[in-house]
Amino acid sequence: MITSRSLCIIFFCILLVLLPDIVRGECTCDPEDEDRDKTQALKYKLAAIASILVAGAIGVYLPVLGKTIPALSPERKIFFLIKAFAAGVILSTGFVHVLPDAFENLTSPCLDEHPWGDFPFTGFAAMVAAIGTLMIDAFATSYATSYYRKSHFGEAEDNVSDEEKVGEHAGHVHVHTHATHGHAHGSIEYAGESELLRHRVISLVLELGILVHSVIIGISLGTSESPKTIKPLVAALTFHQFFEGMGLGGCITQAKFKSRGVAILALFFSLTTPAGIAIGIGISSFYDENDPTALIVEGIFNAAAAGILIYMSLVDLLAADFMNPKMQDNKRLQFGAHVSLLLGAGCMSLLAKWA
């Protein structure tokens, strides 16, 4: 005789068998049934282009103003707090914004189960990008410092040899002292140039990671035709671009590029997301966000961008600053930097609710 307990067990087993199919049934590749209004959506997109362009330019140029505003100079303690906040923003962008989008793209039901369901491609692509960033970072820094050493110290050694030949009859003590002074001066100069080259490599690699995901989010916004979707994204992406610009601007400031180099890097950063939106507007009539090729390309690029941003924020921004002797010797500055880091990461994570 079947008891009520047996019926409950049977019902529970049937539910366990059918639940995956029920959940899977909710995920379709059909276009979402949204309130579509192309005219209204276009107005929001144009507003987004203007606001994101202005916010990005202000954000990236704000740290650069440290050259004219003493309070924002990289040598000041407040600069550590600004960089910690910006690094938190970039770290949150990688973990909370870009990486989840990549997971969503590469685990979409619109993709074939084999091979996309057999292997965690998102994490793998992010890992490869992070390792690739490390290799580029190391090789570029090594090559630049080696080139500088050969071009500068080779000349210095030739000069020292010439001085030794001229001063052979003047006595050994004078020549030795002069040469030692020259090597000491050269070592200090070399250390400063090596650090400067490192900052330049960091700036260029960080900009690359930011540009990749900026184009993608711009195209995503540009292809949407739902005002309800676009409206909250405009404000969220404006703040997003401003905070990211501050992080990149801090790195550009420390790299001490010439005015032309600063202008080019800032211009590329400011224009990338608006350009992505413009591209999205142009292809919105035939673009299908659920197309397998679009999902794979977007997912791989998002994962790679996340790996680059996470590596750069943790290794080149946070670790470098938090291990800096200036911060290690100042407990109040350390505490302030930790608070700034948490604020930056928290603010950017909160924006993930809308963007």
Side-chain angles (χ1 to χ4, degrees):
M1 185 175 180
I2 300 176
T3 62
S4 58
R5 184 179 178 183
S6 301
L7 286 172
C8 288
I9 293 172
I10 293 170
F11 176 76
F12 182 70
C13 292
I14 293 173
L15 183 64
L16 284 177
V17 172
L18 295 179
L19 185 60
D21 292 329
I22 294 171
V23 173
R24 195 180 299 116
E26 295 175 355
C27 300
T28 64
C29 296
D30 299 327
E32 294 180 6
D33 187 18
E34 299 172 324
D35 296 328
R36 297 177 180 273
D37 186 343
K38 290 186 177 181
T39 304
Q40 189 70 15
L42 182 60
K43 292 179 181 179
Y44 284 125
K45 291 174 189 177
L46 295 176
I49 290 175
S51 63
I52 291 172
L53 179 64
V54 172
I58 293 173
V60 75
Y61 271 112
L62 195 61
V64 177
L65 291 176
K67 294 179 180 179
T68 55
I69 301 175
L72 297 177
S73 174
E75 284 74 28
R76 294 299 183 98
K77 293 177 182 178
I78 192 172
F79 193 77
F80 282 95
L81 304 182
I82 294 172
K83 275 195 70 181
F85 181 88
V89 167
I90 294 171
L91 184 63
S92 176
T93 300
F95 272 121
V96 182
H97 289 256
V98 185
L99 196 58
D101 287 345
F103 273 110
E104 185 179 349
N105 294 140
L106 296 181
T107 57
S108 171
C110 303
L111 298 180
D112 293 334
E113 184 66 22
H114 306 288
W116 300 103
D118 299 331
F119 186 78
F121 284 98
T122 306
F124 180 75
M127 179 190 71
V128 170
I131 294 173
T133 306
L134 169 65
M135 295 170 68
I136 292 171
D137 200 357
F139 285 137
T141 304
S142 176
Y143 174 79
T145 51
S146 176
Y147 176 80
Y148 176 82
R149 188 188 297 121
K150 289 179 180 178
S151 61
H152 288 70
F153 280 89
E155 294 175 4
E157 286 173 3
D158 290 341
N159 291 335
V160 170
S161 299
D162 292 339
E163 288 176 4
E164 287 175 352
K165 288 178 181 178
V166 172
E168 276 179 354
H169 302 290
H172 175 73
V173 176
H174 170 72
V175 174
H176 178 75
T177 305
H178 189 82
T180 304
H181 171 72
H183 281 297
H185 177 73
S187 297
I188 295 170
E189 185 183 354
Y190 168 70
E193 285 292 328
S194 179
E195 185 178 357
L196 181 62
L197 291 168
R198 173 112 180 103
H199 285 307
R200 290 184 176 180
V201 172
I202 290 170
S203 300
L204 294 174
V205 177
L206 179 61
E207 171 129 353
L208 175 64
I210 291 175
L211 294 186
V212 169
H213 96 89
S214 292
V215 171
I216 293 173
I217 61 176
I219 292 175
S220 298
L221 189 149
T223 54
S224 177
E225 295 177 350
S226 170
K228 288 184 178 179
T229 302
I230 299 172
K231 193 174 180 179
L233 282 176
V234 175
L237 290 178
T238 299
F239 283 105
H240 177 280
Q241 198 77 351
F242 174 76
F243 290 142
E244 264 191 351
M246 286 183 64
L248 180 62
C251 292
I252 292 173
T253 302
Q254 286 187 307
K256 296 180 181 178
F257 287 106
K258 293 181 180 179
S259 299
R260 184 180 178 181
V262 172
I264 291 172
L265 291 174
L267 189 65
F268 265 99
F269 170 77
S270 302
L271 290 178
T272 305
T273 304
I277 297 173
I279 293 170
I281 294 172
I283 64 175
S284 60
S285 59
F286 57 87
Y287 178 80
D288 180 12
E289 63 180 6
N290 292 322
D291 178 69
T293 303
L295 287 170
I296 292 169
V297 172
E298 187 175 335
I300 294 295
F301 274 100
N302 267 331
I308 293 171
L309 294 176
I310 291 168
Y311 170 86
M312 296 299 294
S313 58
L314 287 175
V315 177
D316 286 331
L317 299 181
L318 291 174
D321 281 353
F322 277 69
M323 295 300 121
N324 191 300
K326 287 184 180 179
M327 189 177 293
Q328 289 291 311
D329 296 337
N330 192 328
K331 299 301 179 186
R332 289 183 62 185
L333 182 60
Q334 259 190 56
F335 178 76
H338 280 94
V339 172
S340 295
L341 170 62
L342 293 173
L343 281 175
C347 290
M348 200 64 184
S349 298
L350 184 63
L351 289 178
K353 179 177 174 60
W354 300 280

